[in-house]
Every structure is written in C-alpha cells, then in structure tokens.
Amino acid sequence: MSERKMGANKPEISELGCVQDRMTFLYLEHADVNRQDSAIQVTDQRGIVCIPAAMVSVLLLGPGVNVTHRAMELIGDSAMAVVWVGEQGVRAYAHGRALNHSSRLLQAQAKLVSNQRTRVAVARKMYQMRFPDQDVSGLSMQELRGKEGARVRSVYHKESRKTNVPWNRREYNPDNFESGTPINQALTAAHQALYGLSYSVIVALGASPGLGFVHTGHDLSFVYDFADLYKAKISIPVAFEMTAKYSQDEDLAARTRLAMRDAFRDGKLLSQMVTDLKNLLNIDDCQDGADLFQLWDDKLGMQKMGVQYHDVTAGDDE
C-alpha cells in the first residue's frame, strides 16, 4: 500500500519569497502551532489564524508555545527563521536554518573578521553609517566608541525632551524584566524586536550572527553590531513614544512590540538591512548560490561535486 502524501509539495527555492519581500517578524506565546496545507496554523484562547509560512521572515516563539513536527517541517521547507525566546522576548535560546543555502556571505564575513585590518575597516564602515556627514576614517576604535556613546546619549535626551518621558540612564536586568522603569522596559522590548529582525536578515542571507566586528565573544555579537545601526531611528523613538502613551499600562512591552511591528510594516527597513548587510560584507548581489556547491582543493581550486574522481594515488593495475 502506497504511503499517503500529506500537505502541499515542498517549495522550490525560486518559489519562496525573497528576504526583503517578507513580513518582518511574528511573536507568539501561549499558543499551539500546527500546519494547515502551506500555512502555519496558530490556535489560542481567542481562536485560530493561518499564516503564510513563505511570507514571514522570522517567527519568535515565546513561553507556552507548543509546536508540532509538521509545523516545523513546513517552517524548515519555507526557510522561515525561528527563534525560541524567553518571556517578553528578552532572551534567545535557539534558532532554525537560513533561507540562503549559499555560504558566500559567511565566507566573506569570516575572512573580513579574521584579519585585523579588514575587521577595523568594516567596523569603521558601520560607524560611518551613523555619521554620514563626518569623516571617521582616521579615528581609532576607542575614539569611535566614544563618539558613538555621545551620539546615543544625545538621542536619549532628545527623545526624552520630545515626549516628556524622564530619562536617567539605561538599565537592563535580563533576569528581572519587571524591575526596570517603564522606559527601560519599553527600550528592552523595542531593542529585542529589532534584534529579532536583524537576526533574521543575517541568518536568512547565510551570514553568522556570532562573528561580530565591534562586539565579540557572544553567539549574537554580529546581531548587536547590526542592530546598533538602526536603534537611533527606530527602536529608541518607538520606546519613548510608547512610554509616553502607556507608562502605567502593564502591557507596555506588548504595545511596544506591536509598535515596532508597525514601524517595520512597510518593508523599507527590511530592504535597507539586506542592502546594508551585503555592503558591509562587500557582496555585490544576492544570488542564492545553491548551484555553487563545490569541492575545495588546495592546488586545483574549486572542483565539481558529484563526480567519480580517479584515485591518483592508486597504481594503474587497480
């Protein structure tokens, strides 16, 4: 008896949505996640909703989420990045595979980060993006950090004056989210949403979240590097705006995440992130590269795979 085939066929790479065309992120908690044909079916106390798997960039799974094997099968086939996170999304525990099957960005990133000169060059390029009207090419890393610190403090005070939200300093306790002031809770929630989107772009394109140029020693070092490029324009203003409106609301973190989702909705930031990441790693295009699967040879260069090579060490009698 033939085995009954379940659900839709596995999509080809060419059929999947490009990274810059996908929805940014979806955060779920206290829900059951299953599969319905080519959609992710989410069930909670409010009802059932189906999500097109190939059109979501990253799925953040919070506490109380139960995921079936069939749902994970579809998520994997659709190259949706999945991050298992803690309450309010403040910690990342695990993740799924990338959309891009090519290692080109990863190889470029590893090469750049492994050489001090090129590593500093990429770090300067990231700082230059924050100071487009100034020449930072002659500044040391210490000088760049000081300049960036002054810029961020200025942004905090500017948003504080704009929204009338009191600001003292950034405080964040990963083990006790509720201990922070409302603005610090909102900043944590906003930054985590930005980290999620940054993470999804990095892994979807095949780069490593752990090979940072400014941050180092953490499995998300490059995520922190990359997200820092957008905090002043996206997550910090959103956090202050939400705190000004909902500082007494116990759902401030949830409201902040929704506001970040709305800020991401038009897709311009996602598209910009894809462009910026390739620019930082000196990659000219975003070809999938699945057809570039080859064998490495220290003398002959890249060789075709799937070929029965003659054993050059064997004698002619063999």
Side-chain angles (χ1 to χ4, degrees):
M1 183 175 65
S2 62
E3 182 179 342
R4 187 165 68 94
K5 192 171 183 178
M6 303 291 290
N9 292 329
K10 177 180 178 179
E12 298 293 333
I13 291 292
S14 59
E15 297 176 324
L16 298 176
C18 295
V19 177
Q20 57 263 46
D21 296 331
R22 293 188 173 206
M23 294 167 53
T24 52
F25 78 95
L26 182 65
Y27 174 81
L28 301 175
E29 63 179 21
H30 304 293
D32 294 327
V33 180
N34 206 333
R35 173 179 181 170
Q36 179 63 46
D37 296 325
S38 292
I40 297 299
Q41 184 184 78
V42 181
T43 305
D44 65 9
Q45 60 184 0
R46 295 168 295 180
I48 300 175
V49 64
C50 290
I51 303 161
M55 292 308 296
V56 176
S57 178
V58 60
L59 191 62
L60 302 176
L61 301 181
V65 172
N66 297 310
V67 188
T68 67
H69 183 278
R70 294 200 63 236
M72 291 307 302
E73 178 186 28
L74 176 61
I75 287 169
D77 289 346
S78 302
M80 181 196 301
V82 182
V83 186
W84 283 263
V85 297
E87 188 174 4
Q88 307 293 349
V90 298
R91 289 193 176 185
Y93 297 112
H95 61 84
R97 69 171 299 176
L99 169 63
N100 195 348
H101 292 178
S102 169
S103 64
R104 289 176 52 213
L105 268 80
L106 179 58
Q107 288 175 297
Q109 181 185 12
K111 183 177 180 180
L112 290 169
V113 82
S114 300
N115 178 280
Q116 182 170 317
R117 179 181 58 81
T118 57
R119 181 172 184 170
V120 171
V122 174
R124 282 204 181 103
K125 189 183 292 187
M126 287 192 286
Y127 282 116
Q128 186 67 71
M129 292 171 66
R130 282 107 136 183
F131 304 98
D133 299 326
Q134 302 177 39
D135 181 9
V136 302
S137 60
L139 299 182
S140 67
M141 291 299 295
Q142 182 178 5
E143 291 170 328
L144 289 169
R145 287 194 300 270
K147 194 174 184 66
E148 171 65 1
R151 183 185 77 105
V152 172
R153 285 193 297 272
S154 176
V155 171
Y156 282 136
H157 288 297
K158 175 185 175 183
E159 293 299 327
S160 175
R161 292 191 299 269
K162 180 180 176 181
T163 60
N164 292 320
V165 173
W167 173 254
N168 292 316
R169 62 183 181 274
R170 180 74 172 112
E171 294 178 320
Y172 165 54
N173 182 352
D175 296 318
N176 190 354
F177 176 79
E178 302 296 336
S179 67
T181 61
I183 180 56
N184 274 290
Q185 289 183 22
L187 283 167
T188 297
H191 290 339
Q192 289 296 337
L194 185 60
Y195 293 149
L197 182 59
S198 300
Y199 176 91
S200 70
V201 171
I202 290 168
V203 298
L205 293 181
S208 168
L211 294 181
F213 294 87
V214 177
H215 296 84
T216 190
H218 192 279
D219 62 337
L220 298 178
S221 293
F222 191 48
V223 174
Y224 300 139
D225 281 359
F226 198 55
D228 280 351
L229 299 175
Y230 313 102
K231 285 181 178 178
K233 290 185 177 180
I234 306 294
S235 56
I236 294 177
V238 166
F240 274 90
E241 181 183 350
M242 290 299 100
T243 304
K245 292 181 178 179
Y246 307 108
S247 62
Q248 304 302 317
D249 194 326
E250 62 183 21
D251 292 329
L252 174 60
R255 291 185 181 276
T256 302
R257 279 197 303 273
L258 290 175
M260 289 295 290
R261 180 198 64 188
D262 293 341
F264 297 158
R265 180 170 290 165
D266 63 10
K268 293 180 181 179
L269 177 60
L270 189 60
S271 179
Q272 185 63 50
M273 282 181 162
V274 172
T275 299
D276 289 344
L277 181 59
K278 292 188 293 180
N279 177 56
L280 288 172
L281 300 181
N282 301 324
I283 298 296
D284 294 331
D285 55 61
C286 60
Q287 295 176 351
D288 176 74
D291 58 339
L292 300 179
F293 199 14
Q294 298 174 317
L295 301 175
W296 178 82
D297 189 285
D298 62 332
K299 295 182 174 64
L300 301 178
M302 297 301 175
Q303 301 293 298
K304 291 182 179 180
M305 64 168 294
V307 175
Q308 183 65 48
Y309 288 96
H310 174 65
D311 185 355
V312 297
T313 65
D316 293 336
D317 294 338
E318 292 190 28

